[in-house]
Every structure is written in structure tokens, then in C-alpha cells.
Amino acid sequence: MSGILYLVATPIGNLEDISFRAIRILKEVDLIAAEDTRNSIKLLNHYEIKTSMTSYHEFNKYDKAHELVDKLLQGMNIALITDAGTPGISDPGEELVKQALNSGITVSPVPGACAAVNALIISGQNTRRFAFEAFLPGKKKEREEILQTLENETRTIIIYEAPHHLKELLDDLLKHLGNRNLTIVKEITKKHETVFKTNLEEAIAFYKEEEPRGEYVLVIEGKTFEELKKEAQLSWQEQSIKEHYEMYLKEGLESKEAMSKVAKDRGISKRDVYKEVAVK
């Protein structure tokens, strides 16, 4: 019988934030696959966990995943841990999970800390719907494409950032999103934990005077439906009736529904819309 791959969440700062089950699993498995063994050894030593470790990170994730899956198929139980938080979230664990499941191996979570969720719940922003973007791409073209998709995002947006890139990120967000409200959270569960509720313009001004330090999570308000509706109204006012109608077709509406929407937007009859869009 094949072994089990456990995804074990570890503390994101305070070493006390680990479950009894996580400690037991880490002691009982045959092998721990760690993103950074030099970092993880501190946690293992703190809880007197003697299990052997192997390195599994972004630069060996494909080949090493094959090796780990072979060990699992031979019956070994393996625990996957990340530097901090829940493995598989914005880290190479995603690849190992895919390969394990494709090989029929049982994958089991051992829940615990997650920086994105903990930043969200203390942010004061809307928590019902959110979009997690992790770290934005470093390549300019990919980064621009992601930022453009976020311009009309109505869910709360969560982004990770390192201190040396924070100023650049804030500038990019202001350019694409406008002066949105946001909460900047850093050093969650650590001694210098900070929750800074502000807006993008104020944040940019603040970090011109204050050098960023620590690991950051940005929790950004989404665009309201009222804002989207107002923007859509402004856009069709510059269009012809036919262009207005075609805009709704592109959004997936049927012809009759699109004509009804155009008529309602403009305060005219559907007959007037039909005259303009009917094929002649």
C-alpha cells in the first residue's frame, strides 16, 4: 500500500501557533519535505522532532516531486511543510500535490496558520468574497496583465510583497486601481505585528518617509458594484446605439435582452433600438 502525503501547516511567526496533531504527524512520518531545511530545523528542534528532512523547493519541484511520489508509492508517509504557513498556497507544494493525486496517493491536510486568511480577518475590509493573488509576477508584461484584470475586481484583493518591492507595488496599484482603501499588515503574530488601515495615496506618502521592513500582506478593497455601474454608464454614453447593443452581446446577453438593456439605459423604446441594430 502507498503512503500518505500530509500537508502540514506551520507557524507564520509565533512558534506556539502549531497544533498538537501537526507535531504528532511530523514526529510519526518517515520523511519531512521542507521548502528550506535551514529554516525548518529551528521549528523541529524547538519541538524535539527528529524526523529526517529533505529539501523540496521551487527550483527542484518537478524532479524532486517524482522522487517523493516514488517513495510514497513504496509505502513511506511524507509530511510537506513550507517556510511558514500552509503548504500548497503560493509555494511549490502545488506540484507535488498534483503528482501525488495523479498517482493515486492519498493527500491529507493538517490545518493551521495561513498569512492571507489571518491578514484578511484583522484588516477591517470585506471578508465575504476575496481574491488571493499572492506575489505578483516580476516580469513587467505578466505583471501588467494581472493588474489590468484587477482594475474591476469587486472582491477584496490580497497580495503578498517583500519590503524591497513594496513602494513599487503601491505605485502600480494606484496607477491601475485608483486611490483604493487598503489595510497593510506586516509581521503577523510576531513582536512587531502591525495593522495599518489607509488608502493608496496615503500609503505611498508614508513609505516615502518610512523605509519598509518585514513581510507584508496588502488587503485591498474591491470596486463597488455602484462604481462599475457608473463607469459602464459613462462608457455607453460615448457609444452609438449599435455599439451599445454590441457591448452587451459581447458580455454574453441574448439579442432581445441586449436590446432591452440598451433601451432601459437610454430611456428609449425597444423599437427605437431595433431600428438602429436591425440588419439592413
Side-chain angles (χ1 to χ4, degrees):
M1 292 181 64
S2 62
I4 297 174
L5 173 62
Y6 293 98
L7 308 183
V8 181
T10 54
I12 54 178
N14 193 316
L15 290 181
E16 293 178 357
D17 295 332
I18 189 168
S19 70
F20 293 124
R21 180 172 174 237
I23 294 171
R24 177 177 62 80
I25 293 293
L26 291 174
K27 288 181 176 180
E28 291 179 354
V29 292
D30 301 296
L31 182 66
I32 296 172
E35 188 174 7
D36 187 338
T37 55
R38 295 166 301 178
N39 180 68
S40 296
I41 194 65
K42 300 171 188 175
L43 175 70
L44 301 193
N45 286 341
H46 183 80
Y47 287 103
E48 299 181 345
I49 298 168
K50 307 298 184 183
T51 309
S52 296
M53 271 197 299
T54 188
S55 180
Y56 176 77
H57 50 72
E58 184 66 27
F59 303 104
N60 71 354
K61 64 181 181 181
Y62 297 108
D63 292 338
K64 194 58 177 282
H66 287 305
E67 292 179 25
L68 294 173
V69 166
D70 286 341
K71 292 180 185 297
L72 287 159
L73 290 171
Q74 292 167 22
M76 289 182 69
N77 291 321
I78 297 176
L80 176 67
I81 60 175
T82 185
D83 280 351
T86 301
I89 300 293
S90 185
D91 82 347
E94 178 183 18
E95 178 61 27
L96 178 56
V97 171
K98 288 178 182 177
Q99 291 195 27
L101 290 174
N102 288 339
S103 297
I105 293 164
T106 298
V107 179
S108 181
V110 182
C114 174
V117 172
N118 283 281
L120 175 65
I121 63 174
I122 63 174
S123 70
Q125 304 295 344
N126 192 319
T127 62
R128 191 177 73 84
R129 301 169 62 247
F130 59 93
F132 177 58
E133 288 293 335
F135 290 93
L136 295 186
K139 294 181 180 178
K140 188 174 181 179
K141 184 179 178 182
E142 293 178 17
R143 187 182 182 89
E144 281 291 310
E145 288 173 349
I146 294 295
L147 286 165
Q148 286 170 13
T149 66
L150 295 177
E151 289 176 358
N152 292 318
E153 179 57 71
T154 58
R155 295 170 294 178
T156 299
I157 304 163
I158 303 173
I159 298 176
Y160 290 163
E161 192 52 277
H164 52 288
H165 290 309
L166 180 66
K167 294 180 182 180
E168 179 187 359
L169 174 63
L170 292 171
D171 287 338
D172 285 344
L173 291 172
L174 180 63
K175 173 185 171 184
H176 285 273
L177 307 184
N179 190 27
R180 297 272 188 97
N181 292 322
L182 81 159
T183 305
I184 301 175
V185 183
K186 71 169 186 173
E187 301 294 272
I188 305 174
T189 77
K190 298 179 183 178
K191 182 178 179 180
H192 299 292
E193 177 181 280
T194 305
V195 180
F196 179 24
K197 204 165 188 293
T198 182
N199 61 48
L200 284 166
E201 289 183 351
E202 289 177 352
I204 289 169
F206 178 82
Y207 286 109
K208 282 182 179 177
E209 305 296 328
E210 186 80 16
E211 195 62 29
R213 289 186 176 87
E215 299 300 318
Y216 290 85
V217 184
L218 278 62
V219 185
I220 308 155
E221 72 172 353
K223 183 172 283 188
T224 66
F225 289 108
E226 288 75 17
E227 287 174 317
L228 285 176
K229 187 176 179 180
K230 186 177 180 180
E231 288 174 4
Q233 186 177 27
L234 289 173
S235 68
W236 65 250
Q237 285 175 346
E238 299 172 356
Q239 297 174 335
S240 67
I241 292 176
K242 188 169 185 180
E243 288 171 336
H244 191 178
Y245 165 74
E246 288 172 347
M247 178 186 78
Y248 282 127
L249 291 182
K250 289 177 182 177
E251 291 179 6
L253 272 62
E254 296 293 333
S255 179
K256 287 185 179 179
E257 188 178 1
M259 282 191 278
S260 295
K261 291 274 285 182
V262 172
K264 183 177 179 181
D265 287 344
R266 292 175 176 264
I268 60 179
S269 70
K270 285 186 281 187
R271 183 185 295 275
D272 290 335
V273 177
Y274 180 77
K275 287 178 182 177
E276 293 295 323
V277 304
V279 178
K280 295 179 181 179

